[in-house]
Amino acid sequence: YSGLHSRLAEYVRAGDMDACAQEFDQALAAMKEISFKSARTYFRHALMSVLDGFFAALERDNEFFTKMMERLDSFDRCENVRALRTVFLELLSSLSYRLSTDRKNSNQDAALRAKEYIDQNYADPDLSLRMLAERVKLSPAYLGKVFTAVTAYTFNDYVNQVRLEKAAALLRETRMPVSKVSESVGVLNTNYFYALFKKRYGV
């Protein structure tokens, strides 16, 4: 039953445990001519291959990796197909959950780093989602989604909010002309600045 581990790895990444269960059942159906012990050995090797594929992501967490190895050892003690299937899917489910948690934490960190960069560099007129995406090594579309999920703002809305708050403070506290205020917060088109400001503050 070729390519099982690569398909399982794909489904684990996607969090699709139903597909993993179907793969197990289909592989088992193709093994009618072999012993239970041989089938168990085959599925153990498939699991090991999947784990090897995610080793780089798991090696930093010794506790999780050790637990996975212990659960893999329990695989050898399964005495029937039902137990084998249960342990097989539990292992894949744990791995999928762990990878999902890592992605979520990594994405949250990327969004917060992007937010911090905006807070410090709002005056850069070239500030863009593409620029930030390159810095945090995500695609612009994906960073935009993650940024909104973490901050509850779209990228453009957050940049405009920061710029307008800084501009409002300058207008209150200095005698700078509006054109200079606009430039100092990264908006080079004064008419566009007027439109943004009026939309935000009503004046």
Side-chain angles (χ1 to χ4, degrees), residues 1-202:
Y1 193 68
S2 64
L4 177 62
H5 74 276
S6 59
R7 289 193 298 278
L8 288 173
E10 182 182 332
Y11 297 139
V12 163
R13 281 191 196 92
D16 191 345
M17 289 302 104
D18 288 340
C20 288
Q22 288 174 10
E23 287 290 341
F24 179 93
D25 294 340
Q26 289 171 10
L28 188 68
M31 297 179 192
K32 289 179 181 176
E33 305 302 321
I34 68 173
S35 67
F36 171 75
K37 185 176 179 181
S38 295
R40 183 174 63 191
T41 300
Y42 173 79
F43 282 118
R44 190 184 201 284
H45 284 312
L47 284 171
M48 282 297 295
S49 294
V50 172
L51 286 172
D52 283 346
F54 292 111
F55 179 76
L58 299 174
E59 65 177 338
R60 295 184 300 275
D61 190 341
N62 290 331
E63 184 180 347
F64 178 80
F65 195 75
T66 300
K67 283 181 181 176
M68 290 296 282
M69 290 300 101
E70 288 171 356
R71 295 177 79 176
L72 194 59
D73 288 341
S74 74
F75 202 71
D76 294 330
R77 296 191 290 275
C78 292
E79 296 182 355
N80 57 56
V81 169
R82 178 175 291 183
L84 199 67
R85 189 180 191 273
T86 298
V87 174
F88 185 85
L89 293 176
E90 282 177 353
L91 278 159
L92 293 178
S93 181
S94 294
L95 177 59
S96 180
Y97 179 77
R98 180 69 173 76
L99 293 170
S100 173
T101 301
D102 277 356
R103 273 197 305 272
K104 184 177 179 182
N105 291 339
S106 175
N107 290 342
Q108 184 173 35
D109 181 60
L112 292 175
R113 281 189 288 134
K115 179 178 178 293
E116 183 179 2
Y117 188 87
I118 294 168
D119 291 340
Q120 295 172 356
N121 297 275
Y122 62 88
D124 181 358
D126 295 323
L127 183 62
S128 68
L129 184 59
R130 183 173 295 281
M131 174 206 293
L132 285 177
E134 288 175 5
R135 293 181 67 86
V136 299
K137 302 197 173 12
L138 294 174
S139 74
Y142 191 63
L143 175 59
K145 278 178 151 180
V146 170
F147 190 87
T148 300
V150 172
T151 67
Y153 290 96
T154 66
F155 168 80
N156 284 334
D157 284 348
Y158 187 73
V159 171
N160 287 338
Q161 174 176 293
V162 172
R163 285 175 167 169
L164 291 171
E165 286 177 354
K166 300 294 182 183
L170 288 172
L171 290 169
R172 281 194 307 269
E173 299 162 11
T174 74
R175 298 184 65 82
M176 287 172 64
V178 174
S179 60
K180 291 295 182 186
V181 169
S182 176
E183 286 178 19
S184 72
V185 297
V187 183
L188 302 184
N189 184 321
T190 307
N191 287 331
Y192 180 58
F193 174 77
Y194 285 150
L196 288 175
F197 197 91
K198 186 167 186 179
K199 183 178 179 183
R200 172 70 191 273
Y201 294 108

